[in-house]
Amino acid sequence: MTQERTGAGAAFAPHDHQRCQADALQVAEQRLAAKKARLTPVRRRTLELLLESHRAMGAYEVLERLAAEGYGSQPPVAYRALEFLVQHGLAHRLQRLNAFAACLHPECEHAPAFLICRVCSKLAEVPAGYLQDELGELSQDNGFTIERLTVEAVGLCAGCAKAGAA
Amino acid sequence: MTQERTGAGAAFAPHDHQRCQADALQVAEQRLAAKKARLTPVRRRTLELLLESHRAMGAYEVLERLAAEGYGSQPPVAYRALEFLVQHGLAHRLQRLNAFAACLHPECEHAPAFLICRVCSKLAEVPAGYLQDELGELSQDNGFTIERLTVEAVGLCAGCAKAGAA
DNA sequence: TAATCAATGTAATAAAATAACAAGTCAACC
DNA sequence: GGTTGACTTGTTATTTTATTACATTGATTA
């Protein structure tokens, strides 16, 4: 089961996205309930927006959608909801894109690496725990303690490669 | 010799920084000459600024320094010089910081991982070729081709840890 | 029910990055 | 030596991304 969800190409490959979304939402509800954190309407809606596709969305893109649906229209509205989701492991921040994406396996694995297709902008999350470990060892030798690790790869996904995108 | 320069803690540990700078500049000159790319005054000065410390500098910090020395005072001046250095492998862009840093071993290794101390903001470059390879294999299995990889770890360096920084 | 704390909303601003265009510099060539 | 053409620098203006500060609302609990 973990295997099923952590397959690197999951997001790029065709899959039952309805269920993919529903699962993620359910996990979110459970996790937040357990932590006594509140999945308020804006926060929930923000997560839903991120889950719509496997693309990363900019904060302002999220904001626009939220505003159109009657939520606040100022940047902090989006940034706060996104930050909340990130803090609770339900979304990730992509440094290379100044953007955010829903976490695809919030239940397990907490050291993801991202594969970002530069053509379709979809992204996949692959387990990177072992990368963290390896790098962790190497840096510990030098007295450096890793607290957070960002691994982001930009490239070309199978679909776009096949479609002949340069 | 490669060993000497790629030691992970190089930047954090005390070292002959004068020479460290001089070496980097010399390598830069050679490399650019070989490529027939021009190390103009702004570009050279920008590299020198980045080499002053082992910290990453924001584009606007660089700009301010350049402007104070009589160069142009508008953002493109800094961004262009920095982009040039990055393109030629003489500097790196740190996604997590919106900042730039001089490349510490431009002669070899082209898949660096960064260790960024969140207290003193110094950073070290460690070889990550093997990380790239491992991740590359994993993603290739799924048809994804990595073009550029970003590995940035934020944490605490030995010095700051010892100094009791939280 | 009053007091408190978390969450939302807005206005204003800061910080980071890019686009578009004019002017200058430099090397190579005739 | 002068001219062409590519590269480099500079400026103005604008866009994109992110934060600060403060008022207001809503939920929680003592």
Side-chain angles (χ1 to χ4, degrees):
Chain A
M1 161 212 183
T2 285
Q3 281 308 336
E4 175 192 325
R5 304 196 64 146
T6 54
F12 295 129
H15 63 287
D16 183 347
H17 191 54
Q18 288 275 334
R19 195 183 142 194
C20 174
Q21 285 177 270
D23 282 1
L25 262 177
Q26 203 183 327
V27 171
E29 278 169 9
Q30 289 169 0
R31 292 246 313 230
L32 293 177
K35 293 200 219 173
K36 302 215 187 282
R38 292 165 53 201
L39 188 59
T40 60
V42 217
R43 291 171 177 174
R44 187 193 175 90
R45 191 64 193 123
T46 300
L47 179 54
E48 286 172 0
L49 290 172
L50 292 183
L51 282 168
E52 273 183 4
S53 71
H54 285 287
R55 287 189 311 108
M57 294 175 79
Y60 281 76
E61 195 182 347
V62 169
L63 178 59
E64 202 177 323
R65 298 283 305 271
L66 290 175
E69 298 178 15
Y71 295 100
S73 62
Q74 299 303 312
V77 170
Y79 280 103
R80 283 194 289 232
L82 291 166
E83 190 196 10
F84 173 86
L85 296 174
V86 169
Q87 274 180 348
H88 290 87
L90 301 171
H92 298 289
R93 183 172 200 143
L94 282 293
Q95 306 287 340
R96 289 203 72 121
L97 304 178
N98 288 338
F100 300 82
C103 174
L104 297 184
H105 5 67
E107 30 4 301
C108 47
E109 189 215 323
H110 239 126
F114 298 99
L115 306 180
I116 307 167
C117 177
R118 68 170 158 76
V119 173
C120 67
S121 339
K122 279 192 192 163
L123 61 94
E125 230 176 300
V126 309
Y130 69 100
L131 289 182
Q132 170 129 282
D133 292 345
E134 285 179 20
L135 195 58
E137 257 176 61
L138 181 56
S139 50
Q140 202 117 44
D141 289 347
N142 294 279
F144 189 93
T145 311
I146 293 179
E147 291 169 351
R148 283 176 307 159
L149 178 64
T150 299
V151 180
E152 295 175 8
V154 173
L156 209 52
C157 77
C160 291
K162 198 168 289 179
Chain B
M1 161 210 183
T2 284
Q3 280 309 335
E4 175 192 323
R5 303 195 66 145
T6 54
F12 295 128
H15 61 286
D16 183 348
H17 191 54
Q18 289 274 335
R19 194 182 142 195
C20 176
Q21 286 177 270
D23 282 1
L25 262 177
Q26 203 183 327
V27 171
E29 278 169 9
Q30 289 170 358
R31 292 247 313 229
L32 292 177
K35 293 200 218 176
K36 301 212 186 285
R38 292 166 53 202
L39 188 61
T40 61
V42 218
R43 292 170 176 173
R44 187 193 175 90
R45 191 65 192 121
T46 300
L47 179 54
E48 286 172 1
L49 289 173
L50 292 184
L51 283 168
E52 271 182 6
S53 70
H54 284 287
R55 286 188 313 108
M57 294 176 80
Y60 283 74
E61 195 182 347
V62 170
L63 178 60
E64 202 178 323
R65 297 283 304 271
L66 289 175
E69 296 177 17
Y71 294 100
S73 61
Q74 299 305 310
V77 170
Y79 279 103
R80 283 195 288 236
L82 290 166
E83 190 197 12
F84 172 88
L85 296 174
V86 169
Q87 275 180 348
H88 291 86
L90 303 171
H92 297 289
R93 181 172 199 141
L94 283 292
Q95 306 286 340
R96 288 203 72 123
L97 304 178
N98 289 336
F100 300 82
C103 174
L104 296 185
H105 4 67
E107 34 0 304
C108 48
E109 191 214 324
H110 239 126
F114 298 98
L115 307 180
I116 308 167
C117 177
R118 69 170 156 76
V119 174
C120 67
S121 337
K122 278 193 192 163
L123 61 94
E125 231 177 300
V126 310
Y130 69 100
L131 289 182
Q132 171 133 289
D133 292 345
E134 285 178 18
L135 195 57
E137 257 177 58
L138 180 57
S139 50
Q140 200 116 45
D141 290 347
N142 294 277
F144 189 94
T145 312
I146 293 178
E147 291 169 352
R148 282 176 307 161
L149 178 64
T150 300
V151 180
E152 296 176 8
V154 173
L156 209 52
C157 77
C160 291
K162 197 167 290 178

